Amino acid sequence: MTGPKFGRRLGERIKLLASLSGAAPAETSTRGWSLPGVEEMEFMAKRAAALGVSDPFFRQHDGLAAATTLIDGREYINFSSYDYLGLNGDPRVIGRVEEALHRYGTTVSASRMVSGERPFHRELEHALAEWHGAEDCVVMVSGHATNVTTLAQLMRPGDLIIHDALAHNSLIQGAILSGARRIAFTHNDVAAAREQLWMHRRAHKRALLVLEGHYSMDGDIPDLAAFVDLAREFDCMTLVDEAHSTGVLGARGHGIAEEAGVAPESIDLWMGTLSKSLISCGGYIAGRADIITYLKRTAAGFVYSVGLPPTNAAASMAALDIIREEPWRIARLRENSTQLLRLFCEAGFDTGTSEGYGIVPLVTGSSLLAGRLSQALFERGLNVQPIIHPAVPEKAARLRFFVSASHTPEQIEQTVSLVGQAMRALSE
């Protein structure tokens, strides 16, 4: 199935959009509940349909999604999964999960503080603390909630949270919930962060500098050493979100500290998720033992939530063991990412600031073009998602390629060829 091209008929479609645009009130109401934004979503769906763009979201995969995936019985080259090291479905992981399942069941059935504590919780936490060179660690059932509950618990009104402008939604929501003053600085700009701290640090009690080790929209990394020096200069605690760094950065996959050659103990808090390289679900904070103990006793997202299920913990423990034993996976991921980045650049595509560690954006500069290109590639057997406004500024709309160690060089070459074909077809 093919949709209309961008050529002579685009003007007609713009007129159609104009005819659709003024109809909706700002919100709709269902049984007395006001639902802001519903009309806007419906309008956006109509606008996409008028331009021949199908909904690329919530597609159902028929089985395991790896370097390839099956959707409605058809095989696709897949760049929409976080399985950076190709470990999802590994028989060794499945074996460990089965052992945990038979011994502990599918749930711990309670908050860990009440009666949900199990041996595997501390085993995983000790392993993650060692991985990050930290004293201790706490594991929670959601990566997003880990950031929200940690920032909300540690910071207070009168404090300052200064963060990269491209910080993840979970970090922003946690900062807002804390009541602390929140200030963003220009992405990866140490000088801009220093200027904000120079202007605002003295007016606040405590300060927290928040970074990501590997930015999920752009695929670039911060100058960690420079930010550590900045934090010391202005007496700031530091939190680094390693969601897309663990298993990706550093020769052994230990993250941005290993990649940058920075002592891991120079960072106060390491945050990470279990859902990327560690092929499970959940999140964690590693850091000083007293901070971790405090979070375990007070953080709402931990105290009032069920403990991590046995199968989740077992999968992540198995992944950590395999990563230690098979560092070639990290090298393969880097080779694949570098190849994709290089070929896109040679073909004249805009890859933004990606450094080729596992995330390679293809910037289209238009949400419409991103949606159309994603659909055109799907029709050609390539699954990659568009990132459109308002998730990013309109001029930064893109396709986002998550690379895996399990992709082959041939698949990457084919991908670049398919993107070129689709772009040419859309410009006719």
Side-chain angles (χ1 to χ4, degrees):
M1 180 181 68
T2 59
K5 301 293 191 294
F6 275 104
R8 294 176 299 174
R9 301 181 66 185
L10 178 58
E12 298 172 19
R13 285 176 168 69
I14 292 174
K15 290 180 181 178
L16 177 58
L17 292 183
S19 70
L20 289 172
S21 62
E27 59 186 44
T28 190
S29 179
T30 303
R31 295 184 181 178
W33 287 88
S34 179
L35 301 174
V38 170
E39 289 288 352
E40 182 181 357
M41 284 194 298
E42 291 176 350
F43 168 68
M44 292 293 288
K46 291 178 181 178
R47 185 172 73 170
L51 290 164
V53 180
S54 62
D55 187 349
F57 307 114
F58 297 100
R59 286 177 178 145
Q60 292 189 22
H61 296 247
D62 297 339
L64 188 149
T68 61
T69 187
L70 286 176
I71 301 174
D72 291 332
R74 179 182 178 184
E75 184 175 79
Y76 293 82
I77 301 175
N78 184 38
F79 286 95
S80 294
S81 297
Y82 302 143
D83 185 14
Y84 289 118
L85 300 181
L87 289 174
N88 190 24
D90 187 290
R92 294 165 293 181
V93 176
I94 293 174
R96 294 274 287 275
V97 169
E98 288 178 340
E99 290 176 12
L101 179 66
H102 290 299
R103 181 173 181 181
Y104 297 105
T106 57
T107 177
V108 299
S109 303
S111 163
R112 286 173 60 187
M113 179 176 281
V114 179
S115 63
E117 188 78 359
R118 301 291 186 272
F120 56 79
H121 288 132
R122 291 304 286 155
E123 180 185 5
L124 178 58
E125 288 169 344
H126 287 149
L128 289 168
E130 181 183 5
W131 188 264
H132 287 285
E135 293 178 0
D136 203 355
C137 176
V138 55
V139 172
M140 305 186 195
V141 293
S142 160
H144 189 281
T146 296
N147 274 334
V148 173
T149 199
T150 297
L151 288 175
Q153 188 62 35
L154 293 182
M155 305 304 286
R156 295 285 188 274
D159 294 339
L160 173 67
I161 297 174
I162 180 166
H163 64 84
D164 191 285
L166 297 186
H168 190 265
N169 172 270
S170 58
L171 296 165
I172 304 300
Q173 294 302 315
I176 293 171
L177 190 59
S178 75
R181 184 174 184 186
R182 179 177 65 87
I183 298 177
F185 59 86
T186 305
H187 177 53
N188 270 345
D189 191 330
V190 179
R194 190 182 195 284
E195 181 179 2
Q196 294 295 342
L197 284 168
W198 186 85
M199 289 190 296
H200 301 290
R201 174 65 185 94
R202 285 171 292 183
H204 298 84
K205 299 174 184 177
R206 299 177 302 154
L208 177 67
L209 175 62
V210 178
L211 307 169
E212 293 185 35
H214 187 202
Y215 286 91
S216 62
M217 285 293 179
D218 292 86
D220 53 4
I221 64 175
D223 183 347
L224 186 63
F227 278 111
V228 166
D229 290 342
L230 183 68
R232 288 173 178 162
E233 179 183 354
F234 286 93
D235 187 27
C236 296
M237 290 179 61
T238 48
L239 183 151
V240 178
D241 183 328
E242 291 270 81
H244 293 271
S245 309
T246 299
V248 174
L249 300 182
R252 298 174 301 155
H254 284 244
I256 183 64
E258 183 184 16
E259 183 72 29
V262 171
E265 61 268 21
S266 63
I267 299 298
D268 295 289
L269 296 171
W270 293 103
M271 181 271 173
T273 60
L274 307 181
S275 58
K276 279 74 175 178
S277 295
L278 302 185
I279 56 169
S280 181
C281 189
Y284 62 88
I285 295 287
R288 282 186 0 222
D290 59 336
I291 298 177
I292 300 306
T293 299
Y294 174 73
L295 289 173
K296 283 187 171 182
R297 297 279 179 171
T298 63
F302 179 82
V303 173
Y304 300 107
S305 179
V306 69
L308 193 74
T311 50
N312 290 45
S316 290
M317 276 300 303
L320 281 171
D321 290 342
I322 294 171
I323 295 169
R324 290 190 191 96
E325 296 166 3
E326 299 178 352
W328 61 263
R329 292 178 180 273
I330 300 146
R332 179 75 54 79
L333 171 64
R334 184 72 56 88
E335 291 169 2
N336 288 347
S337 302
T338 300
Q339 181 189 14
L340 182 63
L341 179 64
R342 175 179 56 80
L343 292 177
F344 273 155
C345 291
E346 289 175 355
F349 296 121
D350 182 358
T351 56
T353 56
S354 174
E355 298 181 47
Y357 292 107
I359 300 166
V360 180
L362 195 157
V363 181
T364 63
S366 158
S367 293
L368 177 59
L369 180 54
R372 289 285 288 131
L373 182 58
S374 174
Q375 178 174 314
L377 291 171
F378 191 73
E379 293 165 359
R380 287 167 169 80
L382 184 65
N383 184 47
V384 59
Q385 293 296 309
I387 307 296
I388 60 178
H389 180 77
V392 293
E394 176 64 18
K395 65 180 180 181
R398 65 196 58 195
L399 303 188
R400 182 171 56 168
F401 291 78
F402 289 108
V403 186
S404 172
S406 59
H407 283 116
T408 66
E410 293 75 22
Q411 287 171 334
I412 291 172
E413 291 175 0
Q414 183 181 0
T415 293
V416 177
S417 175
L418 289 172
V419 171
Q421 293 172 23
M423 287 291 282
R424 287 190 294 273
L426 291 174
S427 65
E428 291 176 358

